[in-house]
Amino acid sequence: MAYDTIKIKSPHMDRDFIRAVEQKCILRSGVDLNSGEMLYELHTGQLLGSWDARISVIPKYEDWFADRNGTPRLQPCEPYILVEASVHKVLLGHNVYGGPTDFLKAARDLVALVEKLLEIDLPAADIWTVHRVDVAHVYALSKAACKQFFDTMQLVNFPRRQRKAGKYNMAVHFPGKTTTVKFYHKGEEFRVHEISRLRIFFRSLFKHLHGDDPRNMERVESKIGALQRLADKRLRVEVGINSDKLQYDFGKHPEVKDLTDEYLETLHDKEIERILREGKQGMDTVRTTDAVCNRLQNEYGRLTGNRLYGFWQSLCTSGDDKTKDRYTKPTYYRNRKMLEDVGVSWIGSDIVIVANDSLIHDFIPMRMDRRFCFAPARNRPEYNVSRELMPLAA
């Protein structure tokens, strides 16, 4: 388990203090004046997405309060700031592996970093309130296995989350008011959103470490290549715990010190279990039919395999008697024997395959699965990156 994006709110502050924060947000952008490259950015806008590596620092002068009828309305209040960032990317520069597993420490480290960048003392992180936490689990699956997993998800209905569900080639997204669940192939996301940013990050890192060494570009491409290869073998499962869920469970927005790792991990597991339970029958059916088709094509070739697959489907949906009426006696028994010879069986309308060939036939995106990644990858030098090595400005 690792934490990714978190959103926390400071206690109320003096207005002069907030104005100083606003000025610092404008001044502290971390630009390399020689190359114009952005090293980091503190800004007053929203993050672009969960893949964004910036730190969002937003001074606020109003908040939501219930009126006499209990309807939430935005009203003026004493100023405060909202801080939102991927604590995983703040720690490592990327979120391919590793990541913080201690929420209290992650929040404290984020507030300490913002303090350092702004050169302003902020209230202790423990008493800030929590408004969003993304909890992520990662699984070691080949790209082909990830493709099978998402092909299955494409064909399955999830009635409770179907309305706004987004299903893509290598990702599915189930938004909700209280929680948001995402499954995605890290390799595809890394290729689209991370590589350009990390080239800038690594150029600055290796210049800081090695000066103008001509081998720096080779180091940059080697590091990115290693991360891409690792990302290509990872399925990432995220549960975004939204503000409404935190308020419901705690009766208010909890303070950082009150939000335990056990609560966050348990909630992640419950949300994934709920999604899997809702789509279980459909997923089992799709996986099995795909496995049968693959088995028959691999054993008998595409033409004969497809013919036998049609025969097998007839057995599953119509039963032995009706299937027997559709074929001549020799063809019926020959086809049945060919199915049995490669371990494909059927029982009435049940769909069964013995010795499943699917890459994901026993995969469950839960912590008990053997492909769950819990050991750190950072002990390998080709993956080892730490933002602690980076200067605050070029």
Side-chain angles (χ1 to χ4, degrees):
M1 182 189 76
Y3 299 113
D4 201 330
T5 299
I6 69 172
K7 182 178 182 180
I8 53 178
K9 172 186 171 184
S10 75
H12 294 301
M13 299 178 178
D14 181 85
R15 288 181 178 269
D16 291 336
F17 189 88
I18 291 292
R19 291 191 187 98
V21 171
E22 289 176 326
Q23 292 175 353
K24 292 288 184 177
C25 286
I26 295 169
L27 294 173
R28 284 286 185 174
S29 58
V31 176
D32 185 329
L33 297 180
N34 292 323
S35 65
E37 294 175 344
M38 185 69 70
L39 302 179
Y40 60 83
E41 186 175 0
L42 283 159
H43 66 115
T44 57
Q46 295 290 342
L47 292 177
L48 297 179
S50 64
W51 42 266
D52 199 318
R54 293 179 295 180
I55 302 172
S56 171
V57 179
I58 310 176
K60 305 284 278 186
Y61 294 88
E62 53 187 10
D63 206 350
W64 294 96
F65 298 95
D67 62 16
R68 292 180 180 178
N69 299 321
T71 304
R73 297 189 184 281
L74 208 54
Q75 299 178 22
C77 68
E78 291 299 308
Y80 61 92
I81 62 173
L82 285 175
V83 173
E84 184 174 5
S86 167
V87 289
H88 195 157
K89 292 176 183 176
V90 165
L91 175 68
L92 292 179
H94 63 82
N95 65 352
V96 175
Y97 67 83
T101 57
D102 183 330
F103 177 77
L104 179 58
K105 184 177 186 305
R108 287 172 174 172
D109 288 346
L110 177 60
V111 171
L113 177 61
V114 172
E115 274 188 325
K116 189 173 184 180
L117 295 174
L118 293 175
E119 297 178 347
I120 291 176
D121 291 331
L122 294 173
D126 294 29
I127 59 174
W128 291 45
T129 55
V130 184
H131 293 250
R132 173 187 170 185
V133 185
D134 286 359
V135 185
H137 285 178
V138 179
Y139 299 87
L141 288 178
S142 67
K143 189 172 183 179
C146 286
K147 183 67 168 65
Q148 274 194 21
F149 176 79
F150 288 112
D151 285 347
T152 297
M153 297 291 276
Q154 290 278 356
L155 299 174
V156 177
N157 289 324
F158 299 87
R160 294 182 182 178
R161 297 233 186 194
Q162 191 70 22
R163 184 181 173 191
K164 296 181 180 179
K167 296 182 180 181
Y168 311 98
N169 186 40
M170 293 289 265
V172 288
H173 178 231
F174 300 103
K177 186 178 181 182
T178 57
T179 60
T180 296
V181 179
K182 293 181 284 185
F183 299 78
Y184 61 92
H185 177 234
K186 182 59 192 177
E188 293 297 308
E189 190 260 1
F190 183 86
R191 187 176 290 106
V192 173
H193 295 301
E194 298 283 4
I195 287 181
S196 297
R197 178 184 63 81
L198 280 174
R199 278 202 175 96
I200 296 171
F201 173 78
F202 286 132
R203 282 176 197 155
S204 299
L205 174 63
F206 292 128
K207 182 177 181 180
H208 173 65
L209 295 176
H210 308 291
D212 292 323
D213 190 326
R215 292 174 296 175
N216 281 350
M217 280 308 300
E218 181 182 340
R219 293 186 177 106
V220 169
E221 294 307 316
S222 174
K223 200 69 94 169
I224 288 175
L227 288 171
Q228 181 68 68
R229 289 190 297 274
L230 183 62
D232 282 339
K233 300 174 184 176
R234 294 295 182 266
L235 172 70
R236 191 171 174 90
V237 180
E238 289 185 9
V239 173
I241 303 167
N242 300 331
S243 177
D244 286 348
K245 177 62 176 173
L246 294 167
Q247 278 189 291
Y248 179 82
D249 285 354
F250 289 87
K252 60 179 181 178
H253 286 109
E255 293 185 347
V256 167
K257 67 179 186 307
D258 296 325
L259 203 58
T260 67
D261 298 319
E262 182 182 4
Y263 164 80
L264 294 168
E265 189 166 288
T266 299
L267 186 52
H268 180 284
D269 291 347
K270 284 183 178 178
E271 290 299 306
I272 298 303
E273 187 178 357
R274 187 175 298 165
I275 289 282
L276 296 179
R277 191 187 316 120
E278 191 174 337
K280 185 179 188 304
Q281 183 177 353
M283 284 187 281
D284 288 347
T285 300
V286 171
R287 288 181 184 178
T288 308
T289 56
D290 282 348
V292 169
C293 187
N294 291 337
R295 170 73 67 86
L296 294 174
Q297 287 184 357
N298 289 338
E299 294 291 336
Y300 295 115
R302 182 175 293 273
L303 187 63
T304 302
N306 286 340
R307 176 176 60 79
L308 289 171
Y309 181 61
F311 176 78
W312 176 79
Q313 285 185 316
S314 178
L315 286 171
C316 291
T317 56
S318 301
D320 283 333
D321 292 340
K322 287 188 178 180
T323 302
K324 195 178 294 184
D325 291 340
R326 294 171 183 166
Y327 294 84
T328 63
K329 189 174 181 178
T331 301
Y332 172 79
Y333 284 105
R334 182 175 63 249
N335 287 350
R336 257 185 57 151
K337 186 176 186 306
M338 292 176 76
L339 294 180
E340 292 168 350
D341 286 346
V342 294
V344 176
S345 64
W346 62 95
I347 304 172
S349 61
D350 292 338
I351 300 173
V352 180
I353 179 169
V354 180
N356 204 308
D357 286 343
S358 170
L359 295 172
I360 57 168
H361 75 276
D362 63 340
F363 172 63
I364 302 175
M366 300 285 288
R367 279 182 293 151
M368 73 283 293
D369 192 272
R370 59 187 172 84
R371 284 149 289 208
F372 176 58
C373 297
F374 59 89
R378 73 184 74 179
N379 55 355
R380 296 177 57 179
E382 65 268 34
Y383 300 139
N384 188 22
V385 185
S386 175
R387 188 171 284 276
E388 292 174 1
L389 297 173
M390 283 293 293
L392 290 179

